[in-house]
Amino acid sequence: MKRNIYIYLIGLVLLTGCSKFLEDYSQDLVVVKKISDLDEILLGSVYLPSTEVKELNYGDIGWWLHILDDDVNTVIEPNAIKGRTEMDGSFYGYTTWQFEVGRSYDGGNLAGDKRLWEELYQRINATNIILNEIDGIDQAKETDKLDALRIKGESHFLRAQFYFLLVNIYGSMYTAETAETTAGVPLKLTHFVEHDKLKTSQFTRSSVGQVYHQIVKDLEESITYFSESPQRNIFYRANKRAAMLLLSRVYLYMQEWEKAKLLAEDLLKLNKDLMDYPAIPAQGIAIAEGNPEIIFSHGSANLQNAFTGRGGDFCITRDLYNTYEATDARKSLYFTHAFSSDSIALNTKYKTGLHRSTTSDLFLLRNAEAYLNMAEACAMLGDVNGANLWLNNLKRKRFVNYVDLNHDVSTIIEEVRRERRRELCLEGHRWFDLRRYAVNKIAPFSRTIEHVYVSYNWDDKNILKQAEVYQLLPNDPAYTFAIPKAVLDFDLDMGDNPRNVRKLNRLIEFE
């Protein structure tokens, strides 16, 4: 029986703390008559768009994940480039792990911190609407049935990807012992508006365990739907291989090593292509359309005009740079020396310069991660030979004249982690990896991170004034972000995460 379904697409309200909650819903009525209409909603309201990114802080939701960890720092240079970045503005609170991440360096401005939360829940709600309505749409044609299965698969995958990001930013790291009792994020799985004027909170935080269980459930369902529907051979639409790789990553975070290994192994049976990095020509791009190991990507390349190694911008730490051997093609492909300072700049891992990107540096899935997931799972399971096998398989495509190395049981886990850091740097992994290593049962690891925040006299020849050193200690509460203030203002009983007021550790002055 054919029917018309009317859907009000939600504007900018879900879980955003808006006081006029119901009044801010878009009144644009979308008439859904066929499966292709839901496909359009998926493309327009769920997938992240690709845009030109002039400055890092105007990038995709979560751009600040690139400036939190031990792979990056700011540049000390006698004279900066005025206007190159807003180093005295929106970066300060994030890169120095402040109590209020939106607080400017001079303390005079407090920017909102709700964008990631707001936009991800909007997209999650769109998937909820699609999944609720799709079975009521006429599917008389076989192609409609197959398209419906694919759309379900994509919707479940994207909802899982968004919840995975949310719970790892606003929830404690997953451990089996505490997952059911520690607060995660609200699980919004309904297609309708929750609003009870008698309640002080419309939403409560589900436990970390509940959120992870939903992520696993969504990814398992997406794999099932993708297995029953034709796969599109385009990397900017979610697919079965993407769901398998993300689920493998989720199991690593849960320390379910055997499950992580099985997913990655099954994925690599389907396709184990790797790009031969030593064969990339001069000025060639590592992560770009045409790279055979890219499985899925959506959103923008936030780093296309960032990490220049110039004063007023960010650079790559020597700690990361020095982990690459001279024969590692990634060393010169990923990085270069800045021409005006002794800092390390981003080179051609991604295409630089203002452009509309086709690959993301945050929402990216590629085969190299599957190799590393296999290596890590094997190492954690005590299969040293298996871990060495997958590390060597990857490194043969990264080094010039590579000769296989075999690490023993005492060094294999550390080497897997080093290789993961080298390969996946600036892809949004490192911050989360540091979180999960700290709670690893087999080989816990944590370290103190130091970030230097440099200020310049922008009114007098952009001269270097001083550099402030901030520290992030192991197990610091700042590894978990505070719930956005606008959300807490609306959901009064939501409950926040503790964060410390952070002061500089020491001061470096310049004349």
Side-chain angles (χ1 to χ4, degrees), residues 173-367:
M173 194 56 226
Y174 182 97
T175 62
E177 295 77 12
T178 64
E180 302 305 326
T181 56
T182 54
V185 294
L187 270 178
K188 173 73 166 70
L189 304 175
T190 57
H191 65 285
F192 51 80
V193 180
E194 283 86 350
H195 183 72
D196 185 339
K197 63 183 180 181
L198 298 179
K199 292 183 177 180
T200 57
S201 289
Q202 306 303 319
F203 300 95
T204 57
R205 296 172 66 181
S206 300
S207 72
V208 168
Q210 288 172 319
V211 179
Y212 265 83
H213 296 327
Q214 181 60 46
I215 292 167
V216 169
K217 183 174 184 290
D218 270 333
L219 290 173
E220 289 177 339
E221 290 192 46
S222 71
I223 292 170
T224 298
Y225 286 126
F226 284 136
S227 298
E228 298 171 359
S229 63
Q231 296 293 285
R232 292 187 170 186
N233 191 27
I234 43 178
F235 68 80
Y236 52 83
R237 295 296 292 263
N239 53 68
K240 180 179 179 179
R241 290 171 58 217
M244 294 171 72
L245 180 52
L246 184 56
L247 184 53
S248 174
R249 186 195 301 179
V250 171
Y251 281 135
L252 283 189
Y253 281 42
M254 298 174 74
Q255 302 186 55
E256 296 275 2
W257 311 117
E258 193 64 52
K259 292 179 180 179
K261 178 184 175 182
L262 289 173
L263 262 297
E265 191 171 36
D266 287 345
L267 167 63
L268 291 170
K269 288 177 182 177
L270 298 175
N271 185 312
K272 61 175 65 174
D273 289 350
L274 289 172
M275 194 167 189
D276 187 5
Y277 277 18
I280 296 176
Q283 301 306 309
I285 311 300
I287 308 298
E289 189 172 0
N291 183 323
E293 63 190 65
I294 295 178
I295 297 173
F296 172 69
S297 179
H298 64 143
S300 304
N302 304 282
L303 300 174
Q304 56 189 265
N305 289 292
F307 289 30
T308 63
R310 292 294 313 272
D313 198 359
F314 291 93
C315 63
I316 307 303
T317 60
R318 295 278 175 176
D319 183 57
L320 170 61
Y321 184 73
N322 290 338
T323 65
Y324 295 85
E325 297 177 34
T327 56
D328 190 336
R330 292 171 298 191
K331 190 168 190 175
S332 59
L333 187 64
Y334 287 6
F335 312 119
T336 187
H337 290 268
F339 66 88
S340 63
S341 73
D342 63 351
S343 296
I344 306 300
L346 181 62
N347 193 20
T348 54
K349 180 165 188 177
Y350 305 106
K351 181 180 178 180
T352 57
L354 190 63
H355 66 284
R356 184 170 180 177
S357 53
T358 56
T359 54
S360 168
D361 48 34
L362 282 178
F363 297 91
L364 173 71
L365 291 160
R366 57 191 183 96
N367 278 350

Side-chain angles (χ1 to χ4, degrees), residues 71-121:
D71 288 347
V72 302
N73 221 323
T74 58
V75 180
I76 297 177
E77 186 177 358
N79 294 86
I81 303 175
K82 186 175 183 179
R84 177 63 188 81
T85 69
E86 295 182 24
M87 192 53 70
D88 288 338
S90 58
F91 297 132
Y92 171 73
Y94 288 99
T95 199
T96 62
W97 315 288
Q98 292 300 310
F99 174 73
E100 296 176 306
V101 292
R103 181 68 67 183
S104 62
Y105 174 70
D106 62 10
N109 182 54
L110 180 61
D113 60 348
K114 67 177 182 178
R115 183 186 167 202
L116 182 139
W117 180 287
E118 181 179 90
E119 290 198 24
L120 289 188
Y121 273 111

Side-chain angles (χ1 to χ4, degrees), residues 466-502:
Q466 64 183 30
E468 300 176 354
V469 180
Y470 293 83
Q471 284 189 344
L472 185 71
L473 299 176
N475 303 313
D476 194 293
Y479 273 104
T480 303
F481 275 67
I483 303 297
K485 184 178 183 302
V487 176
L488 297 176
D489 288 344
F490 179 72
D491 281 304
L492 302 180
D493 300 325
M494 175 77 72
D496 202 359
N497 300 317
R499 275 176 83 92
N500 298 332
V501 173
R502 193 174 307 278

